[in-house]
Amino acid sequence: MRGWWQELAGLVLPGDCAGCGAARAVLCPRCGDALSGAGAGPVRPAARRSGPVGLPGVHAGARYEGAVRAVVLAHKERGALPLAGPLGTALAAAVLRGCGGAGELVLVPVPSARRAVRARGHDPARRIALAASGRLRRAGAPARVAPVLRPRRRVADQAGLGARERLENLAGALEVCRGGARVTAGARIVLVDDVITTGATLAEAARALRAAGLGVAGAAVVAAPADSFVRIRSATRTEQKSCE
């Protein structure tokens, strides 16, 4: 019910721009441009040179700063559900940049902890993934969402934890739902999330998929810290790795 009311309120009572505060706009054109995906590219976790072991190649649609950061947090923590559309645009661009090509894509969102979903009233990554899959299909790329990952055990709050602590906290925390292999059969699996920091969450998600015998074509996120974007001259090798 909470999610339904948030959706309705966002549609009929538009507030200020979530990115910059401009009046009477859920998202102003300037902040929307920041999520257009024009700057999509390969990224590596800022805290580690190559990311945690098992991390697939990752692409991001935007830099996690300024208006982009504000929009991500408004959607995730304050229930501004209509923002899933623009966030999905950035995510779709990251998917296309990293794993575009022939064949069907299956977007597998990283699941939120059950208590977080209850508190927020929605699952941010899953909602953004659904928006992204729609944009991909409209762009001619067959795509669908398959939420085949689920929490296996409770984990501590990640806030304030370092890279090593996050890896230890998340080790073995996810698993593939029964029937996950059947749901994703014949498609390229792309892990998706809203933001990457240390890469621990995506690495654990990839481990869980591989443990179930599923391949991972790559990963994509809405946004990443500016200093985690790989320079153009070194991007080719990273892009090839992401879709192996």
Side-chain angles (χ1 to χ4, degrees), residues 154-213:
R154 291 175 65 91
V155 299
D157 190 342
Q158 295 277 81
L161 298 181
R164 183 181 297 275
E165 294 170 318
R166 290 189 177 208
L167 283 171
E168 294 172 351
N169 183 43
L170 290 170
L174 298 176
E175 65 181 1
V176 173
C177 304
R178 180 177 298 180
R182 175 180 53 79
V183 172
T184 59
R188 288 179 294 149
I189 296 176
V190 182
L191 282 167
V192 296
D193 206 353
D194 52 2
V195 177
I196 183 174
T197 50
T198 66
T201 303
L202 287 171
E204 168 57 19
R207 181 210 62 77
L209 288 169
R210 291 171 183 141

Side-chain angles (χ1 to χ4, degrees), residues 2 6 64 70-80 116 119-122 124 194:
R2 177 183 173 186
Q6 287 172 330
Y64 189 61
V71 173
V72 169
L73 292 177
H75 174 263
K76 186 173 188 175
E77 305 296 349
R78 298 198 296 277
R120 293 170 179 151
H122 73 123
D194 52 2

Side-chain angles (χ1 to χ4, degrees), residues 5-90:
W5 280 108
Q6 287 172 330
E7 188 87 51
L8 180 61
L11 290 173
V12 302
L13 298 172
D16 296 340
C17 172
C20 66
R24 301 296 297 170
V26 174
L27 191 67
C28 73
R30 182 176 179 180
C31 293
D33 286 343
L35 288 163
S36 68
V43 296
R44 294 195 187 101
R48 301 170 67 96
R49 179 169 297 179
S50 59
V53 174
L55 179 70
V58 185
H59 283 70
R63 283 162 169 72
Y64 189 61
E65 59 189 10
V68 171
R69 180 178 184 275
V71 173
V72 169
L73 292 177
H75 174 263
K76 186 173 188 175
E77 305 296 349
R78 298 198 296 277
L81 303 185
L83 295 174
L87 293 170
T89 297

Side-chain angles (χ1 to χ4, degrees), residues 34-41 58-62 83-101 105-107 125-145 188 190-194 219-223 243:
L35 288 163
S36 68
V58 185
H59 283 70
L83 295 174
L87 293 170
T89 297
L91 181 59
V95 172
L96 285 174
R97 180 69 185 273
C99 286
L105 294 170
V106 167
L107 309 186
R126 183 172 180 176
R127 184 176 290 273
I128 295 170
L130 289 168
S133 68
R135 280 151 180 74
L136 288 167
R137 289 192 297 273
R138 287 194 288 276
R144 56 188 172 89
V145 177
R188 288 179 294 149
V190 182
L191 282 167
V192 296
D193 206 353
D194 52 2
V221 295
V222 172
C243 286

